[in-house]
Amino acid sequence: MHRWYALQDIPSDLGPTVVTLGNFDGVHRGHREVLSRVVREARDRGATPVAVTFDPHPVAVLYPERAPAQIMSLEQRLEVLDSVGVGASLVLHFTREFAQQTPEEFVETTFVEALGAVAVVVGKDTRFGVRNSGDVGTLTELGEKHGFDVIALDDIGEAAPEGRRWSSTQLRAEILDGKVRHAAEILGRPHRVSGTVVHGDHRGRELGFPTANLSPDHAGLVPSDGVYAGWLVRLDLEPGAVDRTLPAAISIGTNPTFDGHQRRVEAYALDRTDLDLYGERVAMDFVSHLRPTLRFDSIQALIDQMSDDVARCREILSATVPA
């Protein structure tokens, strides 16, 4: 997949494109419906499918006090866009100056001149341009003027619980509430947090449950404190490699039994005490919430609970196929 971080990066001989526009935070099932249509339209028209997105999130620039927590990092977003078959992603650096473009200026500069779009696929609630003054009607008029088709899709998510739309807002709320099963329904895959394994307090190894601790600069929205069943994915190993994806018990919290203060994300690969993961890039894919973080009166009570957690994780994951 091609990645462009400015209009100047786009090759002049790109040829025709089919384009979509959005933040795509989470790249959830609603986004995937739009992206799948982009890929199909591009194939039928002999064009390149392109996703246009922004970094940072426009709300974080225009109204920082209202900025939503990011579900994924930009790199995670681009990796998932790549996995759904988009041929290229254009990341536009969003600034206050950029936000002053009129809808026509944005369309002419980005869709027409830079990308040579023959079709633009968007949701019916899409807004763009200064003060969000452009909508699907505006885009359709501009398409007629500049010679590209506009395909506006109905709200996606009729299969969602209670008929709700699949949305990044709902997804964010589910993750922050620890409802990772619900989040996976919206995503169409488990929610992922990734980073580099660093040294912790080594208490897990002393207790018989050595854990891989994520570095503080990890990527992905961290669910609420608690213990989860999930998968530990070793990103530095090739897909399909032995021991790349391991069943795991994932813990998020401050280790209150030991009067900890630093919030940590750590995972114990079930029944594995032989792994040396320090310095490796790993991902933690969340499957199911087991329990909240608790403070135990004794080390033995903690060990007993951890043993029960591992047994429950084993049962849950034995019936689950990793993403």
Side-chain angles (χ1 to χ4, degrees):
M1 183 180 95
H2 299 289
R3 296 180 183 180
W4 305 313
Y5 295 89
L7 297 181
Q8 295 87 341
D9 295 341
I10 301 170
S12 58
D13 59 350
L14 174 63
T17 66
V18 175
V19 181
T20 189
L21 172 72
N23 291 306
F24 303 116
D25 195 14
V27 197
H28 56 64
R29 290 171 67 179
H31 295 143
R32 285 172 177 248
E33 289 287 344
V34 174
L35 294 163
S36 295
R37 182 63 180 270
V38 170
V39 172
R40 292 198 305 272
E41 289 289 334
R43 183 181 61 242
D44 293 345
R45 297 166 184 258
T48 299
V50 179
V52 178
T53 191
F54 304 106
D55 186 62
H57 194 293
V59 177
V61 174
L62 300 176
Y63 309 100
E65 70 284 357
R66 289 162 38 191
Q70 277 193 302
I71 297 168
M72 348 170 69
S73 68
L74 175 61
E75 181 62 27
Q76 287 177 316
R77 212 185 327 162
L78 294 176
E79 287 176 358
V80 179
L81 288 173
D82 186 13
S83 74
V84 299
V86 174
S89 291
L90 170 61
V91 181
L92 295 175
H93 182 56
F94 195 90
T95 63
R96 288 185 174 274
E97 181 181 9
F98 180 92
Q100 294 307 306
Q101 292 180 93
T102 66
E104 184 159 11
E105 287 171 339
F106 173 74
V107 167
E108 288 181 350
T109 301
T110 304
F111 293 169
V112 179
E113 296 172 6
L115 290 171
V118 294
V120 177
V121 182
V122 292
K124 285 191 173 179
D125 61 351
T126 294
R127 309 289 302 210
F128 62 99
V130 60
R131 294 183 297 277
N132 277 338
S133 55
D135 58 15
V136 170
T138 312
L139 189 59
T140 301
E141 292 175 3
L142 293 170
E144 292 173 352
K145 177 179 178 180
H146 294 286
F148 61 81
D149 297 328
V150 174
I151 301 167
L153 301 183
D154 290 325
D155 285 351
I156 306 298
E158 293 180 359
E162 301 173 5
R164 294 193 301 264
R165 295 175 63 245
W166 306 119
S167 74
S168 296
T169 300
Q170 178 64 23
L171 172 59
R172 189 176 294 109
E174 300 286 12
I175 294 170
L176 290 175
D177 203 28
K179 297 177 180 177
V180 295
R181 282 192 182 275
H182 294 168
E185 291 175 3
I186 298 172
L187 283 166
R189 65 185 189 282
H191 175 59
R192 169 171 287 192
V193 177
S194 58
T196 303
V197 178
V198 297
H199 288 275
D201 297 323
H202 302 283
R203 287 200 185 96
R205 184 168 295 280
E206 294 170 2
L207 298 174
F209 302 92
T211 59
N213 289 259
L214 284 189
S215 57
D217 61 348
H218 51 253
L221 184 61
V222 176
S224 60
D225 288 3
V227 177
Y228 299 81
W231 301 99
L232 178 65
V233 185
R234 301 172 68 183
L235 300 176
D236 291 332
L237 299 183
E238 292 294 325
V242 175
D243 285 347
R244 185 176 194 267
T245 302
L246 304 167
I250 305 170
S251 174
I252 301 171
T254 59
N255 294 322
T257 301
F258 298 98
D259 297 319
H261 299 286
Q262 182 180 0
R263 191 173 189 234
R264 293 178 176 173
V265 182
E266 52 189 315
Y268 164 63
L270 304 190
D271 308 314
R272 298 296 297 268
T273 59
D274 59 326
L275 299 173
D276 181 1
L277 304 178
Y278 296 117
E280 281 195 34
R281 295 184 311 117
V282 301
M284 298 178 188
D285 291 349
F286 292 82
V287 173
S288 181
H289 178 262
L290 300 186
R291 63 173 175 84
T293 298
L294 302 172
R295 182 186 181 94
F296 295 90
D297 295 331
S298 70
I299 301 301
Q300 188 57 51
L302 171 60
I303 293 174
D304 291 344
Q305 181 61 63
M306 293 171 71
S307 297
D308 182 62
D309 293 339
V310 168
R312 290 182 62 196
C313 285
R314 188 179 293 111
E315 180 181 1
I316 292 168
L317 297 172
S318 66
T320 305
V321 178

